[in-house]
Amino acid sequence: MKTDKTDRRVRRTKSLLLHGLIQLMAEKDIKDISVKELSDLADINRGTFYLHYNDIYDMLAQIEDELFIEFHEILDRTLNSDSAIFSPQSTLQEIFSFLERHRDVARAMMSPHGDLAFVNRLKDLVKERMGNLLVTKQTTYDNSYMEAFTVSGCIGVIESWLKQQTPPPAEEMAVICGNMLAKGLGLYED
């Protein structure tokens, strides 16, 4: 029982810190955010912050790692390079649902004050996974161009979607993005 109570307190503290970090990242770059400023905003003691993180960058890295673990699980579960027919709909549906659940964090990470390393890591992951799929597909284009098109297109759509105050639901975005990818990659005819 004591463990449950401690776990709740830890989760509450980390949640307060996360929301504070998101709020500060809307205003300033991560390099300009101090532990004192974040702790004051979250209304916790700086010592409590240091129980969980070494510094702001460690906190950011842990948040990103948690997101990428879940993102990898989605891609592992939904992408199948052995499939004869490429259908990105189910993968995109899960990705947009994931982003909906983590909208505030994703928006902060991909904002002008966000973390470029996060965006680059996301691009690299999409490039790697799409590259694995494209190797199995017969196209008339060089795969490096196809990868670049896919990565830039997907990340651009996600950034645009995250900026909207009332964005379309994940299901609708999966259809929109899936259709654009399928047409752009020449995987079906009009």
Side-chain angles (χ1 to χ4, degrees):
M1 184 149 166
K2 185 173 170 118
T3 304
D4 184 38
K5 191 172 191 175
T6 302
D7 288 346
R8 273 191 306 217
R9 282 188 293 212
V10 169
R11 284 193 310 266
R12 183 178 180 278
T13 298
K14 286 187 171 188
S15 177
L16 288 170
L17 288 168
L18 175 62
H19 286 90
L21 184 63
I22 290 168
Q23 187 176 341
L24 290 171
M25 285 176 72
E27 303 165 6
K28 56 176 73 175
D29 292 341
I30 194 75
K31 67 180 177 43
D32 298 324
I33 298 172
S34 69
V35 171
K36 179 180 180 354
E37 180 180 30
L38 176 58
S39 297
D40 288 348
L41 182 62
D43 197 24
I44 64 160
N45 183 305
R46 275 191 331 173
T48 303
F49 174 92
Y50 288 115
L51 285 174
H52 305 289
Y53 308 107
N54 295 326
D55 55 26
I56 296 290
Y57 294 103
D58 179 46
M59 179 182 176
L60 189 65
Q62 287 186 39
I63 292 165
E64 289 177 7
D65 287 345
E66 289 173 16
L67 289 174
F68 274 95
I69 287 170
E70 188 175 347
F71 197 65
H72 273 281
E73 288 170 358
I74 289 168
L75 295 178
D76 289 342
R77 189 175 57 251
T78 61
L79 286 180
N80 181 2
S81 61
D82 296 333
S83 177
I85 301 171
F86 176 62
S87 175
Q89 298 296 334
S90 62
T91 302
L92 290 167
Q93 167 68 46
E94 291 219 30
I95 289 171
F96 278 103
S97 294
F98 163 78
L99 290 168
E100 254 179 355
R101 285 191 308 277
H102 302 288
R103 177 179 270 299
D104 292 339
V105 177
R107 182 183 287 161
M109 296 291 187
M110 296 179 84
S111 74
H113 297 293
D115 185 13
L116 186 58
F118 173 81
V119 175
N120 288 334
R121 189 173 170 187
L122 187 59
K123 286 180 177 181
D124 289 344
L125 179 59
V126 172
K127 181 179 177 181
E128 172 195 331
R129 294 301 181 99
M130 288 307 299
N132 292 342
L133 280 174
L134 290 172
V135 165
T136 65
K137 307 301 172 201
Q138 296 296 324
T139 65
T140 58
Y141 305 108
D142 181 321
N143 279 352
S144 64
Y145 296 131
M146 301 294 278
E147 287 173 3
F149 175 84
T150 302
V151 170
S152 297
C154 288
I155 300 300
V157 168
I158 288 169
E159 286 175 327
S160 178
W161 181 69
L162 287 171
K163 288 178 185 176
Q164 295 180 19
Q165 292 292 27
T166 39
E171 300 80 19
E172 186 177 332
M173 288 307 300
V175 171
I176 291 168
C177 195
N179 287 340
M180 287 189 289
L181 278 174
K183 284 183 181 181
L185 296 175
L187 298 175
Y188 69 77
E189 301 292 324
D190 284 331

